[in-house]
Amino acid sequence: MSNLGIDWAKVRRERARLIILKALAEQTNGTLDSSMIEEILAVFTIREERVWIHEQMEYLERREAVNLTSAGSVKIATLTKVGRRHLDRDIAIEGVTRPSEPEN
């Protein structure tokens, strides 16, 4: 069966990045560490090594969607205004799935 030319690894990365931004936005302080993000991604059947999760967080940092801080073996991500604007559909960050239209 053909995969219709879809790059599923790319789709998975882009969805994971959106899930990370949404999870941060749900926190009062807009902050989560990578161990918590790992658990959240697993709920969406994205089970990856911590290194892969850190790569997605670093991608978001390079696009100014999050600020990262290292704390031992984890990274702590904090949502930025750029990340919030992506979630609000004011801008589109390349490599991050667009959020759905809000339901009325």
Side-chain angles (χ1 to χ4, degrees), residues 48-104:
E48 295 287 348
E49 299 290 326
R50 183 86 48 90
V51 141
W52 185 91
I53 293 165
H54 286 176
E55 288 170 359
Q56 307 322 306
M57 295 168 73
E58 290 161 2
Y59 181 96
L60 291 168
E61 181 183 44
R62 287 192 303 274
R63 277 142 192 90
E64 302 179 354
V66 301
N67 290 322
L68 290 183
T69 306
S70 292
S73 65
V74 299
K75 290 187 183 286
I76 300 166
T78 304
L79 187 66
T80 66
K81 288 180 181 170
V82 171
R84 170 71 63 196
R85 289 187 68 207
H86 179 83
L87 292 173
D88 291 343
R89 298 181 57 88
D90 291 337
I91 62 170
I93 300 172
E94 182 181 347
V96 182
T97 301
R98 292 272 289 161
S100 304
E101 288 278 351
E103 295 192 20
N104 295 327

Side-chain angles (χ1 to χ4, degrees), residues 37-55:
I37 290 171
E38 185 175 1
E39 291 178 30
I40 291 164
L41 289 172
V43 171
F44 294 91
T45 69
I46 299 175
R47 293 178 182 87
E48 295 287 348
E49 299 290 326
R50 183 86 48 90
V51 141
W52 185 91
I53 293 165
H54 286 176
E55 288 170 359

